[in-house]
PDB file of all heavy atoms in Angstrom:
ATOM      1  N   LEU K   7      87.646  20.416 -10.593  1.00 98.00           N
ATOM      2  CA  LEU K   7      86.430  19.802 -11.099  1.00 98.00           C
ATOM      3  C   LEU K   7      85.186  20.712 -11.131  1.00 98.00           C
ATOM      4  O   LEU K   7      85.028  21.623 -10.218  1.00 98.00           O
ATOM      5  CB  LEU K   7      86.068  18.501 -10.268  1.00 98.00           C
ATOM      6  CG  LEU K   7      85.984  18.662  -8.633  1.00 98.00           C
ATOM      7  CD1 LEU K   7      84.390  18.808  -8.422  1.00 98.00           C
ATOM      8  CD2 LEU K   7      86.489  17.461  -8.020  1.00 98.00           C
ATOM      9  N   VAL K   8      84.272  20.321 -11.932  1.00 98.00           N
ATOM     10  CA  VAL K   8      82.925  20.968 -11.952  1.00 98.00           C
ATOM     11  C   VAL K   8      81.981  19.762 -11.878  1.00 98.00           C
ATOM     12  O   VAL K   8      82.178  18.766 -12.384  1.00 98.00           O
ATOM     13  CB  VAL K   8      82.590  21.804 -13.283  1.00 98.00           C
ATOM     14  CG1 VAL K   8      83.578  22.866 -13.349  1.00 98.00           C
ATOM     15  CG2 VAL K   8      82.687  20.930 -14.484  1.00 98.00           C
ATOM     16  N   ALA K   9      80.879  20.070 -11.116  1.00 98.00           N
ATOM     17  CA  ALA K   9      79.868  19.051 -10.923  1.00 98.00           C
ATOM     18  C   ALA K   9      78.451  19.648 -10.699  1.00 98.00           C
ATOM     19  O   ALA K   9      78.352  20.782 -10.258  1.00 98.00           O
ATOM     20  CB  ALA K   9      80.248  18.197  -9.636  1.00 98.00           C
ATOM     21  N   SER K  10      77.375  18.891 -11.062  1.00 98.00           N
ATOM     22  CA  SER K  10      76.119  19.307 -10.992  1.00 98.00           C
ATOM     23  C   SER K  10      75.713  19.244  -9.519  1.00 98.00           C
ATOM     24  O   SER K  10      76.397  18.639  -8.664  1.00 98.00           O
ATOM     25  CB  SER K  10      75.076  18.363 -11.699  1.00 98.00           C
ATOM     26  OG  SER K  10      75.310  17.041 -11.367  1.00 98.00           O
ATOM     27  N   ASP K  11      74.709  20.162  -9.210  1.00 98.00           N
ATOM     28  CA  ASP K  11      74.424  20.278  -7.751  1.00 98.00           C
ATOM     29  C   ASP K  11      73.318  19.292  -7.210  1.00 98.00           C
ATOM     30  O   ASP K  11      72.455  19.647  -6.476  1.00 98.00           O
ATOM     31  CB  ASP K  11      73.930  21.767  -7.436  1.00 98.00           C
ATOM     32  CG  ASP K  11      72.700  22.062  -8.287  1.00 98.00           C
ATOM     33  OD1 ASP K  11      72.221  21.260  -9.149  1.00 98.00           O
ATOM     34  OD2 ASP K  11      72.120  23.221  -7.996  1.00 98.00           O
ATOM     35  N   VAL K  12      73.534  18.038  -7.785  1.00 97.00           N
ATOM     36  CA  VAL K  12      72.644  17.061  -7.127  1.00 97.00           C
ATOM     37  C   VAL K  12      73.130  16.654  -5.749  1.00 97.00           C
ATOM     38  O   VAL K  12      74.184  17.070  -5.287  1.00 97.00           O
ATOM     39  CB  VAL K  12      72.724  15.623  -7.979  1.00 97.00           C
ATOM     40  CG1 VAL K  12      72.191  15.978  -9.427  1.00 97.00           C
ATOM     41  CG2 VAL K  12      74.170  15.140  -8.115  1.00 97.00           C
ATOM     42  N   GLY K  13      72.203  16.128  -4.911  1.00 94.00           N
ATOM     43  CA  GLY K  13      72.370  15.984  -3.509  1.00 94.00           C
ATOM     44  C   GLY K  13      73.722  15.136  -3.172  1.00 94.00           C
ATOM     45  O   GLY K  13      74.395  15.415  -2.272  1.00 94.00           O
ATOM     46  N   GLY K  14      73.965  14.058  -4.068  1.00 94.00           N
ATOM     47  CA  GLY K  14      75.222  13.315  -3.781  1.00 94.00           C
ATOM     48  C   GLY K  14      76.467  14.044  -3.998  1.00 94.00           C
ATOM     49  O   GLY K  14      77.467  13.808  -3.282  1.00 94.00           O
ATOM     50  N   HIS K  15      76.440  15.075  -4.918  1.00 96.00           N
ATOM     51  CA  HIS K  15      77.644  15.913  -5.015  1.00 96.00           C
ATOM     52  C   HIS K  15      77.756  16.992  -3.961  1.00 96.00           C
ATOM     53  O   HIS K  15      78.850  17.244  -3.399  1.00 96.00           O
ATOM     54  CB  HIS K  15      77.622  16.616  -6.343  1.00 96.00           C
ATOM     55  CG  HIS K  15      77.993  15.690  -7.611  1.00 96.00           C
ATOM     56  ND1 HIS K  15      77.458  16.024  -8.889  1.00 96.00           N
ATOM     57  CD2 HIS K  15      78.639  14.589  -7.602  1.00 96.00           C
ATOM     58  CE1 HIS K  15      77.938  15.076  -9.654  1.00 96.00           C
ATOM     59  NE2 HIS K  15      78.638  14.181  -8.951  1.00 96.00           N
ATOM     60  N   LYS K  16      76.569  17.592  -3.592  1.00 96.00           N
ATOM     61  CA  LYS K  16      76.581  18.490  -2.548  1.00 96.00           C
ATOM     62  C   LYS K  16      77.056  18.085  -1.166  1.00 96.00           C
ATOM     63  O   LYS K  16      77.667  18.770  -0.291  1.00 96.00           O
ATOM     64  CB  LYS K  16      75.249  19.289  -2.365  1.00 96.00           C
ATOM     65  CG  LYS K  16      74.820  20.066  -3.559  1.00 96.00           C
ATOM     66  CD  LYS K  16      73.704  21.014  -3.324  1.00 96.00           C
ATOM     67  CE  LYS K  16      72.363  20.166  -3.217  1.00 96.00           C
ATOM     68  NZ  LYS K  16      71.176  21.123  -3.023  1.00 96.00           N
ATOM     69  N   GLU K  17      76.981  16.771  -0.953  1.00 92.00           N
ATOM     70  CA  GLU K  17      77.490  16.187   0.270  1.00 92.00           C
ATOM     71  C   GLU K  17      78.936  16.025   0.267  1.00 92.00           C
ATOM     72  O   GLU K  17      79.556  15.996   1.354  1.00 92.00           O
ATOM     73  CB  GLU K  17      76.862  14.760   0.400  1.00 92.00           C
ATOM     74  CG  GLU K  17      76.889  14.214   1.854  1.00 92.00           C
ATOM     75  CD  GLU K  17      76.164  12.946   2.031  1.00 92.00           C
ATOM     76  OE1 GLU K  17      74.972  12.962   1.584  1.00 92.00           O
ATOM     77  OE2 GLU K  17      76.587  12.007   2.804  1.00 92.00           O
ATOM     78  N   LEU K  18      79.630  16.181  -0.890  1.00 94.00           N
ATOM     79  CA  LEU K  18      81.011  16.028  -1.048  1.00 94.00           C
ATOM     80  C   LEU K  18      81.732  17.188  -1.398  1.00 94.00           C
ATOM     81  O   LEU K  18      82.912  17.477  -0.922  1.00 94.00           O
ATOM     82  CB  LEU K  18      81.345  14.952  -2.121  1.00 94.00           C
ATOM     83  CG  LEU K  18      80.822  13.539  -1.998  1.00 94.00           C
ATOM     84  CD1 LEU K  18      81.153  12.682  -3.240  1.00 94.00           C
ATOM     85  CD2 LEU K  18      81.464  12.822  -0.734  1.00 94.00           C
ATOM     86  N   ILE K  19      81.181  18.049  -2.265  1.00 97.00           N
ATOM     87  CA  ILE K  19      81.906  19.227  -2.871  1.00 97.00           C
ATOM     88  C   ILE K  19      81.354  20.468  -2.158  1.00 97.00           C
ATOM     89  O   ILE K  19      80.289  20.840  -2.254  1.00 97.00           O
ATOM     90  CB  ILE K  19      81.678  19.122  -4.359  1.00 97.00           C
ATOM     91  CG1 ILE K  19      82.131  17.880  -5.003  1.00 97.00           C
ATOM     92  CG2 ILE K  19      82.350  20.444  -4.940  1.00 97.00           C
ATOM     93  CD1 ILE K  19      81.607  17.608  -6.339  1.00 97.00           C
ATOM     94  N   ARG K  20      82.392  21.293  -1.751  1.00 96.00           N
ATOM     95  CA  ARG K  20      82.131  22.580  -1.104  1.00 96.00           C
ATOM     96  C   ARG K  20      82.246  23.634  -2.263  1.00 96.00           C
ATOM     97  O   ARG K  20      83.377  23.928  -2.738  1.00 96.00           O
ATOM     98  CB  ARG K  20      82.968  22.989   0.038  1.00 96.00           C
ATOM     99  CG  ARG K  20      82.703  22.056   1.195  1.00 96.00           C
ATOM    100  CD  ARG K  20      83.750  21.980   2.225  1.00 96.00           C
ATOM    101  NE  ARG K  20      83.588  21.063   3.176  1.00 96.00           N
ATOM    102  CZ  ARG K  20      84.430  20.622   4.151  1.00 96.00           C
ATOM    103  NH1 ARG K  20      85.665  21.136   4.152  1.00 96.00           N
ATOM    104  NH2 ARG K  20      84.117  19.715   5.083  1.00 96.00           N
ATOM    105  N   HIS K  21      81.103  24.255  -2.788  1.00 97.00           N
ATOM    106  CA  HIS K  21      81.268  25.163  -3.851  1.00 97.00           C
ATOM    107  C   HIS K  21      82.093  26.284  -3.718  1.00 97.00           C
ATOM    108  O   HIS K  21      82.125  27.002  -2.740  1.00 97.00           O
ATOM    109  CB  HIS K  21      79.800  25.633  -4.196  1.00 97.00           C
ATOM    110  CG  HIS K  21      79.697  26.599  -5.411  1.00 97.00           C
ATOM    111  ND1 HIS K  21      80.158  26.249  -6.688  1.00 97.00           N
ATOM    112  CD2 HIS K  21      79.436  27.826  -5.455  1.00 97.00           C
ATOM    113  CE1 HIS K  21      79.918  27.179  -7.527  1.00 97.00           C
ATOM    114  NE2 HIS K  21      79.543  28.321  -6.713  1.00 97.00           N
ATOM    115  N   GLY K  22      82.992  26.421  -4.733  1.00 96.00           N
ATOM    116  CA  GLY K  22      84.004  27.513  -4.612  1.00 96.00           C
ATOM    117  C   GLY K  22      85.177  27.238  -3.731  1.00 96.00           C
ATOM    118  O   GLY K  22      86.127  28.035  -3.723  1.00 96.00           O
ATOM    119  N   GLU K  23      85.184  26.114  -3.055  1.00 97.00           N
ATOM    120  CA  GLU K  23      86.259  25.709  -2.078  1.00 97.00           C
ATOM    121  C   GLU K  23      87.017  24.572  -2.620  1.00 97.00           C
ATOM    122  O   GLU K  23      88.247  24.616  -2.738  1.00 97.00           O
ATOM    123  CB  GLU K  23      85.779  25.599  -0.675  1.00 97.00           C
ATOM    124  CG  GLU K  23      86.862  25.291   0.218  1.00 97.00           C
ATOM    125  CD  GLU K  23      86.315  25.033   1.688  1.00 97.00           C
ATOM    126  OE1 GLU K  23      85.212  25.406   1.952  1.00 97.00           O
ATOM    127  OE2 GLU K  23      86.971  24.430   2.550  1.00 97.00           O
ATOM    128  N   THR K  24      86.276  23.358  -2.797  1.00 97.00           N
ATOM    129  CA  THR K  24      86.999  22.271  -3.312  1.00 97.00           C
ATOM    130  C   THR K  24      86.564  21.887  -4.727  1.00 97.00           C
ATOM    131  O   THR K  24      87.116  20.931  -5.334  1.00 97.00           O
ATOM    132  CB  THR K  24      86.557  21.006  -2.365  1.00 97.00           C
ATOM    133  OG1 THR K  24      85.128  20.862  -2.397  1.00 97.00           O
ATOM    134  CG2 THR K  24      87.055  21.276  -0.928  1.00 97.00           C
ATOM    135  N   GLY K  25      85.668  22.656  -5.181  1.00 97.00           N
ATOM    136  CA  GLY K  25      85.247  22.357  -6.635  1.00 97.00           C
ATOM    137  C   GLY K  25      84.100  23.394  -7.066  1.00 97.00           C
ATOM    138  O   GLY K  25      83.738  24.230  -6.158  1.00 97.00           O
ATOM    139  N   MET K  26      83.502  23.261  -8.139  1.00 98.00           N
ATOM    140  CA  MET K  26      82.491  24.212  -8.623  1.00 98.00           C
ATOM    141  C   MET K  26      81.283  23.443  -8.840  1.00 98.00           C
ATOM    142  O   MET K  26      81.293  22.511  -9.680  1.00 98.00           O
ATOM    143  CB  MET K  26      82.912  25.031  -9.830  1.00 98.00           C
ATOM    144  CG  MET K  26      84.229  25.881  -9.700  1.00 98.00           C
ATOM    145  SD  MET K  26      84.107  27.029  -8.278  1.00 98.00           S
ATOM    146  CE  MET K  26      83.031  28.208  -9.093  1.00 98.00           C
ATOM    147  N   LEU K  27      80.151  23.759  -8.422  1.00 98.00           N
ATOM    148  CA  LEU K  27      78.877  23.231  -8.648  1.00 98.00           C
ATOM    149  C   LEU K  27      78.006  24.093  -9.550  1.00 98.00           C
ATOM    150  O   LEU K  27      78.197  25.382  -9.621  1.00 98.00           O
ATOM    151  CB  LEU K  27      78.078  22.977  -7.294  1.00 98.00           C
ATOM    152  CG  LEU K  27      78.697  22.145  -6.257  1.00 98.00           C
ATOM    153  CD1 LEU K  27      77.884  22.226  -4.990  1.00 98.00           C
ATOM    154  CD2 LEU K  27      78.685  20.598  -6.784  1.00 98.00           C
ATOM    155  N   PHE K  28      77.152  23.516 -10.460  1.00 98.00           N
ATOM    156  CA  PHE K  28      76.371  24.180 -11.293  1.00 98.00           C
ATOM    157  C   PHE K  28      75.001  23.492 -11.273  1.00 98.00           C
ATOM    158  O   PHE K  28      74.848  22.476 -10.846  1.00 98.00           O
ATOM    159  CB  PHE K  28      76.877  24.144 -12.725  1.00 98.00           C
ATOM    160  CG  PHE K  28      76.932  22.787 -13.267  1.00 98.00           C
ATOM    161  CD1 PHE K  28      75.799  22.326 -14.136  1.00 98.00           C
ATOM    162  CD2 PHE K  28      78.008  21.892 -13.283  1.00 98.00           C
ATOM    163  CE1 PHE K  28      75.806  20.987 -14.672  1.00 98.00           C
ATOM    164  CE2 PHE K  28      78.022  20.754 -13.815  1.00 98.00           C
ATOM    165  CZ  PHE K  28      77.018  20.204 -14.529  1.00 98.00           C
ATOM    166  N   LYS K  29      73.912  24.187 -11.764  1.00 98.00           N
ATOM    167  CA  LYS K  29      72.585  23.770 -11.662  1.00 98.00           C
ATOM    168  C   LYS K  29      72.391  22.533 -12.534  1.00 98.00           C
ATOM    169  O   LYS K  29      72.647  22.591 -13.657  1.00 98.00           O
ATOM    170  CB  LYS K  29      71.578  24.787 -12.119  1.00 98.00           C
ATOM    171  CG  LYS K  29      70.124  24.478 -12.051  1.00 98.00           C
ATOM    172  CD  LYS K  29      69.215  25.632 -12.282  1.00 98.00           C
ATOM    173  CE  LYS K  29      67.743  25.134 -12.276  1.00 98.00           C
ATOM    174  NZ  LYS K  29      67.370  24.589 -11.007  1.00 98.00           N
ATOM    175  N   ALA K  30      71.972  21.469 -11.946  1.00 98.00           N
ATOM    176  CA  ALA K  30      71.779  20.212 -12.629  1.00 98.00           C
ATOM    177  C   ALA K  30      70.787  20.345 -13.766  1.00 98.00           C
ATOM    178  O   ALA K  30      69.815  21.030 -13.592  1.00 98.00           O
ATOM    179  CB  ALA K  30      71.375  19.111 -11.603  1.00 98.00           C
ATOM    180  N   GLY K  31      71.182  19.738 -14.966  1.00 98.00           N
ATOM    181  CA  GLY K  31      70.242  19.846 -16.139  1.00 98.00           C
ATOM    182  C   GLY K  31      70.416  21.033 -16.939  1.00 98.00           C
ATOM    183  O   GLY K  31      69.726  21.085 -18.091  1.00 98.00           O
ATOM    184  N   SER K  32      71.174  21.913 -16.519  1.00 98.00           N
ATOM    185  CA  SER K  32      71.323  23.303 -17.214  1.00 98.00           C
ATOM    186  C   SER K  32      72.586  23.280 -18.035  1.00 98.00           C
ATOM    187  O   SER K  32      73.711  23.417 -17.502  1.00 98.00           O
ATOM    188  CB  SER K  32      71.322  24.505 -16.388  1.00 98.00           C
ATOM    189  OG  SER K  32      71.650  25.598 -17.040  1.00 98.00           O
ATOM    190  N   LYS K  33      72.547  23.111 -19.408  1.00 98.00           N
ATOM    191  CA  LYS K  33      73.778  23.193 -20.244  1.00 98.00           C
ATOM    192  C   LYS K  33      74.436  24.644 -20.203  1.00 98.00           C
ATOM    193  O   LYS K  33      75.533  24.631 -20.273  1.00 98.00           O
ATOM    194  CB  LYS K  33      73.381  22.871 -21.668  1.00 98.00           C
ATOM    195  CG  LYS K  33      72.506  23.871 -22.444  1.00 98.00           C
ATOM    196  CD  LYS K  33      72.319  23.353 -23.877  1.00 98.00           C
ATOM    197  CE  LYS K  33      71.418  24.448 -24.595  1.00 98.00           C
ATOM    198  NZ  LYS K  33      71.239  24.077 -25.999  1.00 98.00           N
ATOM    199  N   ASP K  34      73.612  25.705 -19.992  1.00 98.00           N
ATOM    200  CA  ASP K  34      74.078  26.971 -19.881  1.00 98.00           C
ATOM    201  C   ASP K  34      74.928  27.147 -18.669  1.00 98.00           C
ATOM    202  O   ASP K  34      75.994  27.778 -18.651  1.00 98.00           O
ATOM    203  CB  ASP K  34      73.048  28.013 -19.986  1.00 98.00           C
ATOM    204  CG  ASP K  34      72.310  28.047 -21.293  1.00 98.00           C
ATOM    205  OD1 ASP K  34      72.936  27.641 -22.289  1.00 98.00           O
ATOM    206  OD2 ASP K  34      71.103  28.384 -21.487  1.00 98.00           O
ATOM    207  N   ALA K  35      74.376  26.551 -17.487  1.00 98.00           N
ATOM    208  CA  ALA K  35      75.076  26.773 -16.270  1.00 98.00           C
ATOM    209  C   ALA K  35      76.443  25.895 -16.231  1.00 98.00           C
ATOM    210  O   ALA K  35      77.385  26.350 -15.743  1.00 98.00           O
ATOM    211  CB  ALA K  35      74.238  26.228 -15.102  1.00 98.00           C
TER     212      ALA K  35
END
C-alpha cells in the first residue's frame, strides 16, 4: 500500500516497513 502522510495514517503505517507514505496533497509525490 501507499498512503498520504496525514496523522491518521502515520499512527498506523511505518514508512518503508509496513507501507509507503507520501506527502499529502502532492500528485507528484
Side-chain angles (χ1 to χ4, degrees):
L7 60 91
V8 296
S10 58
D11 63 352
V12 295
H15 284 156
K16 289 195 289 186
E17 196 170 320
L18 297 178
I19 301 164
R20 296 166 182 165
H21 178 63
E23 181 182 344
T24 61
M26 303 300 291
L27 297 172
F28 66 90
K29 182 174 177 56
S32 171
K33 66 178 183 180
D34 293 335

